[in-house]
Amino acid sequence: MSSIPATALADIQPNDRHASGECLCGAVRYEIQGILSPPSACHCGMCRRHHGALGVFTGAPVTAFRIHGADHVGWYRSSPEAERGFCRQCGSKLFWRQIDSDRLDVTMGSLHQPSGLHLDHHIWVAHRGDYYDIADALPKYAESAVGHGDQSQLSGHRPAPVPTVHEGGCLCGAIRFKVDGDMRNVVVCHCGQCRHWHGHSADYSAARTAEMALRGEGALSWYASSPGAQRGFCRHCGTSLFWRGAKNGTAASKISISAGALDGPTGLQTVRHIFVADLPDYYAISGDAERDAGSMASNPVAF
């Protein structure tokens, strides 16, 4: 779509509401009239880095949207063809739009539940991360699903040597980090806060704060998503980077890092799903990693 100013989006007023959603802090809310496209999960490196997770989107004509608080939406031009919209207040991933298109995509995680939708296919699976499998039976396309050809036959998890130093950063490059020490294997969180903030379930590794060096801290914004936790994102491109607990006690000695923000190969594996009791209606968990209904506080993944 052509680059539409946020103020213009706010003036769209459909007659009926088919679906609705919002960012984590509530500064941006939206309503959609009409039929939404079948959701797809994008495994491309840009989506994984920006969201810190998969980019899982549905969409509709831009005229079907009514957006409240559109002045809080930041747009990052991630390629010559497309830009990504996020809440500047809390960092929630919300929108994707193609330049010179009349459609707007929205993250499934930001939709109010139940959505009435079900994940339909996977795209750009040739670029998937090395830390997870795609174990469901849905169609999988090596790159784009345009034309519905080029379905990809996938092998299982692609183990890689664990690097002695892990590096990563945001999509625009304003923030970079280095971990000179062990990193925890990946834990996937399905809680509503993570889904709203990342746009889908969140893939997290973790490191000891004493072993992590951070460059570009001036571009890092922190949002207090609960009394005991903060979420860190790039104020320029919106990339979801970090989760940290309270600053006192043992919680301050470790920081959770979005697996998608890591440079590959990571050498990590997905070993746990948490808050599966909060699972939404649009996807199911596949694979044989352990599952916890709530948090893993009583039995954390060690590293």
Side-chain angles (χ1 to χ4, degrees):
M1 60 182 292
S2 59
S3 185
I4 299 176
T7 52
L9 288 173
D11 292 335
I12 296 170
Q13 298 184 18
N15 296 322
D16 301 302
R17 187 176 71 179
H18 174 80
S20 63
E22 62 188 321
C23 68
L24 185 54
C25 73
V28 182
R29 296 175 293 111
Y30 60 83
E31 300 163 3
I32 309 169
Q33 176 198 16
I35 302 301
L36 293 167
S37 62
S40 64
C42 182
H43 299 260
C44 79
M46 283 199 295
C47 275
R48 285 189 292 106
R49 191 173 293 272
H50 189 239
H51 293 257
L54 302 184
V56 183
F57 291 95
T58 182
V62 68
T63 52
F65 282 80
R66 180 176 182 178
I67 298 179
H68 310 268
D71 54 325
H72 294 295
V73 179
W75 291 97
Y76 174 66
R77 188 73 169 264
S78 55
S79 71
E81 297 81 22
E83 52 191 353
R84 300 167 184 269
F86 62 96
C87 175
R88 289 197 293 249
Q89 305 298 312
C90 66
S92 294
K93 308 301 159 288
L94 295 167
F95 307 117
W96 183 94
R97 60 188 184 189
Q98 188 170 1
I99 307 303
D100 298 325
S101 171
D102 60 357
R103 294 185 63 82
L104 181 64
D105 285 355
V106 62
T107 57
M108 286 298 301
S110 67
L111 281 171
H112 292 144
Q113 293 293 313
S115 70
L117 299 172
H118 302 284
L119 186 64
D120 185 74
H121 58 280
H122 299 267
I123 60 175
W124 296 99
V125 298
H127 301 263
R128 70 194 187 277
D130 68 334
Y131 49 90
Y132 63 90
D133 287 329
I134 309 174
D136 60 40
L138 297 174
K140 302 167 182 65
Y141 299 92
E143 295 188 347
S144 171
V146 174
H148 300 287
D150 191 28
Q151 284 203 40
S152 180
Q153 298 296 320
L154 294 181
S155 57
H157 181 78
R158 299 169 296 172
V162 179
T164 56
V165 175
H166 285 85
E167 297 188 45
C170 67
L171 188 55
C172 73
I175 299 170
R176 293 288 297 173
F177 60 85
K178 179 187 291 187
V179 177
D180 190 0
D182 293 335
M183 292 198 69
R184 191 196 67 197
N185 275 321
V186 175
V187 174
V188 184
C189 184
H190 301 270
C191 79
Q193 283 194 348
C194 276
R195 291 199 319 272
H196 271 79
W197 196 61
H198 292 267
H200 185 54
S201 58
D203 302 334
Y204 277 110
S205 181
R208 297 173 181 86
T209 53
E211 296 173 341
M212 187 179 81
L214 183 64
R215 178 175 60 81
E217 192 168 2
L220 183 61
S221 289
W222 288 97
Y223 172 67
S225 54
S226 66
Q230 294 179 312
R231 298 171 183 266
F233 65 97
C234 175
R235 69 175 75 246
H236 301 306
C237 65
T239 295
S240 296
L241 291 165
F242 308 121
W243 182 98
R244 66 184 183 190
K247 289 188 176 181
N248 54 7
T250 58
S253 67
K254 297 177 183 178
I255 187 169
S256 294
I257 300 173
S258 295
L262 292 168
D263 299 342
T266 68
L268 303 175
Q269 300 182 49
T270 296
V271 296
R272 185 80 61 87
H273 294 268
I274 61 173
F275 288 100
V276 299
D278 295 342
L279 200 69
D281 65 347
Y282 70 90
Y283 70 92
I285 299 173
S286 58
D288 56 4
E290 293 183 48
R291 306 179 187 188
D292 294 334
S295 79
M296 62 174 182
S298 62
N299 182 29
V301 176
F303 68 102

